[in-house]
Amino acid sequence: MDLPPDSVSETRSILKTQPSTTSNQTISHSWLSRIHSRLYSPDDDVPVLPKRELKRVTFSVGQLTTERIFSNFDDDAFKLMNACDDDPMGPCSDGQQDEQVEENDDIVRCRELPKYYERACRLREEQPLDRFMEILRMSCFTQQLTVVDLSNQPIDSRQMGPIADILMMDSCRTLSRLNLSNCGLEDTSLRILLHGLLLKDRLPELDISHNPFKTDGFKYIAIYISQSQSVRTLDLSYTSPDKRALRYLSRALELASSLQRIYLDHCALKANLVEVFASGVRRSRSLQHLSLRHNRISQKTDAWVSQMLLPPRTDDGDHDDDLMHSWSEARQLGLQQLDLTGNYLQSIVPAIAQTLRSNSTLTHLVLADCQIYPAECAMLAEALLSNHHLRVLNLADNPLSARSDEGIIALKGALSKNHFLEELNLAGTGLESGAAIALAECLPENTTLQRLDLTRNPDIDMAGVLALSVSIKMNATLTFLDINIPPNDPDMAHLQHGIVAACTENMQRSLEDTLYGHETDSLNEEASSASSVSSPKPHELDMLGGVEDYGTAVKRPESTGGTQSDLSISSYILDEIPVA
């Protein structure tokens, strides 16, 4: 009996069951979820920074011991220790023995650094870098290693191992700056370096700019700055961070406790990247100086640039004691110096000016070569009327006088009423004599400006210089008035000499006031200390019930013993950093 086609297909489907894809899809989905959960927190896609990823080797041991392969002393060290043992009343007595032995040990080890480096290279079957060897040999004469500059020296991962070993030695404890700019560092090399630096954690300044490391390299950097208690300055200029890399850096800024300066110049940062980075800048507890020179910050970034200048904020759900600050304490945090040189900021200046009106932390603002025109200059000048904290404003290389004097007139009014700004840079802004005369008119009324830079404005002629030379004699604070005059012009040179003389007189007066102020403070402290130790008067003794009662009344209770917290460097194979 023939069956209809539909029945045949249905019969085949019963006899031969098609493979189900539900389980595979579930497995694949769960696998991707685990990977995603390790990279991001489930709440708001905030990346976590696992400390174990910076560790070079991970293995388990039953008993861990420390063996120092660099432990050779020379004869001088042994003689010093033997002399101290034989003569207990000698120069090493009274607790000085350990200090002198330790100091001599550091000198000996510093002299032996080239030998240690050769041994470390031999263990790895690598040739020593001549340039690094020369730096170590120079330290033998200075008896301390303070700066290591290996810029423009190609370094691969195998060569980085011996260098990292040397930098971990106690003889390098005085190292204050490490420059590895343009060394061709990749992710693996960076991991080896940062692991070694974090083990000792004593380097204040690190320059790894102009290197081709990728996203993983930025992740290692983020782990390093989030864990370090010593790094103060980090230079990442001329690198290429993507959105994921800036997520890592943003999260690291929130967790960092020591980083104060970071440079991201020439990094091609666009609006979407600035958006990611701005959140970490605002939440940072330690960052004070940010340099974003010559990036692609232009329109559509006004909200994020102004966000970096707002007072720091913490999430409501964050229960970390270190992040919980009162409003008065939080006002002391935030950026103090911001450098946006070389970005197209014409459309962003209104947002910056609006934020400056209420900002209470920023002291240095550099907006040089940012395409700021007279209208935008007027907005910044109006912000100066409300801002009482900005000390330095740099508007150099902007067309402030293009087709209008609106900006200069606004600056004139601001300088007449603002008594906080100390330095104003208007170099290369196309100023003419009319603008110089306008600025000269406000100098007698200003009481805080110490430096005014008008260089590279060739259109300022005799009339402008004459007005400045007259007005500065009625100003008591300006110590630097920079202006260029044409060569072979005796009249202009004479006026310039008068300006220099007035500035010199103001500087001398300022120094005298400072010294007099210090002397007055010292006398007041001595007087207060003398009055505090004076004996009580008779009527005071009667009120307190005699001398014995008086002594009892002023006696302070003894401090009770409390638990003392011990600070130590945590192991780098612990759990991941908690995520907000």
Side-chain angles (χ1 to χ4, degrees), residues 167-170 172-173 175 197 200-204 230:
L167 296 179
M168 285 190 296
M169 295 183 60
D170 291 337
C172 298
R173 69 178 64 182
L175 184 64
L197 295 178
K200 293 298 183 179
D201 193 21
R202 58 197 175 199
L203 181 68
S230 300

Side-chain angles (χ1 to χ4, degrees), residues 151 188 235 457:
S151 57
T188 305
D235 194 343
N457 288 292

Side-chain angles (χ1 to χ4, degrees), residues 229-244:
Q229 303 294 324
S230 300
V231 63
R232 300 288 186 269
T233 303
L234 179 64
D235 194 343
L236 298 175
S237 302
Y238 292 94
T239 56
S240 301
D242 56 10
K243 192 171 185 178
R244 178 67 58 84

